Amino acid sequence: MKRFFTEDFVTDLHSHTFFSHDGRESAENYVLHAIEKGDKRIGFSEHYDYDCYLCGNDTPLCDIDKYYAEIKRLREKYSGKIEILFGIEFGYSDEAVGKYKELSEKYPFDYIINSVHLTGGRDYAEKRAYTSDNKKSVYGKYLEDVKRSVNADYDWQIAAHIGYPSRYAPYEDRTLYYDDYKEIIDEILKTIIERGKYLEINASTKCSAISVPDEGIVKRYAELGGKCVTYGSDEHDLRRYREKVAEIKEIADRYGLTLGYIKNV
């Protein structure tokens, strides 16, 4: 059973290592760095992009058996020094849900992050995903996919980086604002709350913005009854370890939201 825990230390639940296709750091380096900083806990969440695989993309899938073996090795080696959480990030598509359900039942993940990265098989990190110059149209299509993802029938816990295209979009103002998509964002947030899931406040924006989602969406989550959120740096190497954690805690505190972590107990 997965439970949400809170404490003063803000746990980073969104970290990628060499087990992710785009990771640039070993899990052990993260652990050693966290211990040196005196941190209580770290959470790993390797990419498993079955959505990409189904589209014929050559993105390598995480070897979950090897990944889990490394987590167990590190837990044993650094027992008593730090707690290590075993998470995964699933890239959503309608067709991938069956595979994710199978994997969520097979492995003892502490938490599962549900993410939307693609439109029509194209990652929003790629220029070719922006076939329209109309920001409202592109972001609206993305949010429709997010709406389907939060209704997905597998055991996920965290809705990640809502507003993901804003990291890469070619628009002068890339931010995905609540006021521009009120109705569908309300649907998404209400579903997260009603299903007992959690909104992630993600520090990776690739611009001057503090977080994805934008603060207006976080505020609305609280207004609709959301109580708890998670923090994710979305780091792929140590340069961004626990980036902007203080600023994101300030956002959570501003709207009476509790930052916490999820553990399989």
Side-chain angles (χ1 to χ4, degrees):
M1 181 179 69
K2 296 173 175 61
R3 287 183 53 199
F4 188 92
F5 294 87
T6 63
E7 63 178 16
D8 290 339
F9 177 74
V10 178
T11 302
D12 189 348
L13 298 182
H14 201 144
S15 303
H16 298 288
T17 79
F18 289 139
F19 288 105
S20 291
H21 64 89
D22 54 357
R24 300 180 294 273
E25 201 74 62
S26 73
E28 188 157 17
N29 280 353
Y30 279 119
V31 170
L32 289 169
H33 186 70
I35 291 171
E36 182 182 343
K37 294 286 185 182
D39 294 343
K40 295 182 177 181
R41 184 181 307 100
I42 186 169
F44 294 106
S45 55
E46 306 299 353
H47 285 294
Y48 193 92
D49 294 324
Y50 201 66
D51 54 337
C52 292
Y53 170 80
L54 291 174
C55 291
N57 295 0
D58 58 0
T59 303
L61 292 172
C62 172
D63 186 326
I64 301 179
D65 289 327
K66 289 183 178 179
Y67 167 40
Y68 184 39
E70 177 67 355
I71 292 294
K72 289 190 288 186
R73 183 186 76 83
L74 294 173
R75 283 173 170 172
E76 181 176 350
K77 183 173 181 179
Y78 298 103
S79 176
K81 296 182 179 179
I82 193 168
E83 184 176 14
I84 301 169
L85 301 179
F86 174 50
I88 197 81
E89 181 179 9
F90 288 153
Y92 176 81
S93 72
D94 296 342
E95 299 79 11
V97 170
K99 182 67 171 180
Y100 295 156
K101 190 169 185 177
E102 171 193 327
L103 294 173
S104 67
E105 293 170 355
K106 179 178 179 181
Y107 294 95
F109 297 117
D110 285 299
Y111 56 90
I112 295 172
I113 295 176
N114 182 354
S115 298
V116 173
H117 300 113
L118 306 183
T119 180
R122 298 172 179 176
D123 196 309
Y124 285 102
E126 303 172 4
K127 289 182 180 179
R128 66 193 185 108
Y130 302 91
T131 55
S132 169
D133 293 331
N134 187 320
K135 173 183 173 182
K136 189 148 189 171
S137 172
V138 172
Y139 284 13
K141 171 65 170 64
Y142 162 76
L143 288 170
E144 289 289 346
D145 291 338
V146 173
K147 184 172 75 170
R148 288 199 300 277
S149 80
V150 297
N151 284 285
D153 182 26
Y154 71 90
D155 188 27
W156 63 275
Q157 288 74 48
I158 299 169
H161 49 55
I162 294 177
Y164 173 76
S166 66
R167 292 180 182 171
Y168 309 100
Y171 315 121
E172 184 175 348
D173 182 355
R174 303 188 328 229
T175 302
L176 193 161
Y177 295 106
Y178 169 73
D179 285 346
D180 293 334
Y181 311 91
K182 291 180 180 180
E183 185 175 333
I184 190 167
I185 290 175
D186 277 359
E187 287 185 62
I188 290 166
L189 297 178
K190 286 176 182 177
T191 300
I192 292 170
I193 295 165
E194 289 167 3
R195 297 192 69 193
K197 313 297 186 182
Y198 305 98
L199 181 70
E200 177 193 74
I201 308 180
N202 189 295
S204 179
T205 62
K206 301 188 184 298
C207 66
S208 60
I210 298 297
S211 69
V212 176
D214 178 66
E215 186 172 338
I217 296 175
V218 178
K219 177 176 182 284
R220 185 58 176 160
Y221 174 74
E223 289 172 347
L224 290 170
K227 303 296 184 187
C228 300
V229 290
T230 66
Y231 159 74
S233 66
D234 214 342
E235 62 206 355
H236 290 68
D237 59 49
L238 283 173
R239 291 176 298 176
R240 295 192 51 254
Y241 177 74
R242 298 188 80 234
E243 182 179 64
K244 295 187 284 193
V245 66
E247 294 96 320
I248 285 175
K249 188 175 188 308
E250 285 180 7
I251 292 174
D253 289 347
R254 187 146 51 240
Y255 303 109
L257 295 165
T258 300
L259 276 162
Y261 65 98
I262 300 163
K263 183 178 177 181
N264 197 18
V265 294

